[in-house]
Amino acid sequence: MRFGKILSIVALSTLGATFAFQSQTADAHRTSSSLTTMIWVEADQSFEITHRLHLHDVQQALRNVIADPSTTVFDIKGQAELILYMAGTFMAESPQGPIILDPIGAEVEGDYVYVYQEARLKALPTAVSITDLTFHDIYSEQENQVNLEYKNQVTSVVFNASENTAKVVKLTKKP
């Protein structure tokens, strides 16, 4: 009899813990974030830039801040609005001056929106100063990671919504 009571207590406490965990998970808030990759392509003397944004964040931003409430990233107008927004919030500069980022396009794939840019240069700069303010004006918890890749070496910098300053990634030519 005593063994049965112990099993009942264990079962009830496990059930209670499961409900408590589920309610905490349901209340959890996903942090808004983005991932940008800048890859130096030696053959083209260019950076290929890909911004990966969460679809939900993009849709909310387009409808509430960037454009009018009927705008969606699934149509060309919404993608154009997003590309223009990205041009004003993601910037790169070399010691010689601003790096011109040409828009290539945007696409939706699953839960993500990809925005593509390209920067053609005469030569690899010795350093790149990066500023990524994407969605900092919209989401207070926004965090943006930028991975700069050159010769199979990746250097990462992270920007959160409280930072408005550029971060410098030094590049060295390897044999």
Side-chain angles (χ1 to χ4, degrees):
M1 188 79 155
R2 186 173 161 174
F3 183 69
K5 283 185 179 181
I6 292 173
L7 281 178
S8 295
I9 292 169
V10 169
L12 285 174
S13 63
T14 302
L15 188 61
T18 301
F19 284 128
F21 176 74
Q22 286 177 341
S23 68
Q24 286 176 351
T25 334
D27 292 339
H29 173 69
R30 181 184 60 77
T31 301
S32 298
S33 63
S34 73
L35 174 64
T36 297
T37 56
M38 291 182 69
I39 300 172
W40 177 254
V41 181
E42 190 72 39
D44 295 334
Q45 293 289 290
S46 68
F47 280 109
E48 291 181 352
I49 301 149
T50 303
H51 306 278
R52 186 185 78 180
L53 310 162
H54 290 279
L55 176 62
H56 175 79
D57 294 342
V58 171
Q59 289 289 76
Q60 291 288 78
L62 281 173
R63 289 181 179 149
N64 298 323
V65 178
I66 299 172
D68 65 69
S70 65
T71 305
T72 176
V73 76
F74 294 103
D75 65 46
I76 194 74
K77 181 181 182 273
Q79 290 177 10
E81 292 281 353
L82 179 61
I83 289 168
L84 288 172
Y85 173 81
M86 294 296 297
T89 60
F90 183 84
M91 293 143 284
E93 192 170 328
S94 75
Q96 290 74 38
I99 295 174
I100 305 302
L101 305 176
D102 295 319
I104 303 297
E107 69 178 332
V108 179
E109 188 175 303
D111 290 338
Y112 295 101
V113 177
Y114 295 88
V115 177
Y116 304 103
Q117 296 174 310
E118 181 179 55
R120 292 199 173 268
L121 304 170
K122 295 182 193 242
L124 177 73
T126 56
V128 177
S129 177
I130 301 167
T131 304
D132 190 351
L133 306 176
T134 304
F135 296 154
H136 283 191
D137 56 338
I138 300 169
Y139 305 114
S140 62
E141 298 295 320
Q142 180 70 26
E143 185 173 278
N144 303 323
Q145 178 176 332
V146 179
N147 293 343
L148 195 146
E149 183 178 330
Y150 169 67
K151 297 270 187 184
N152 296 322
Q153 180 179 344
V154 178
T155 304
S156 298
V157 290
V158 177
F159 300 85
N160 62 46
S162 65
E163 296 176 298
N164 293 321
T165 58
K167 295 188 179 183
V168 177
V169 176
K170 294 187 187 265
L171 302 171
T172 56
K173 292 189 177 188
K174 297 180 181 181

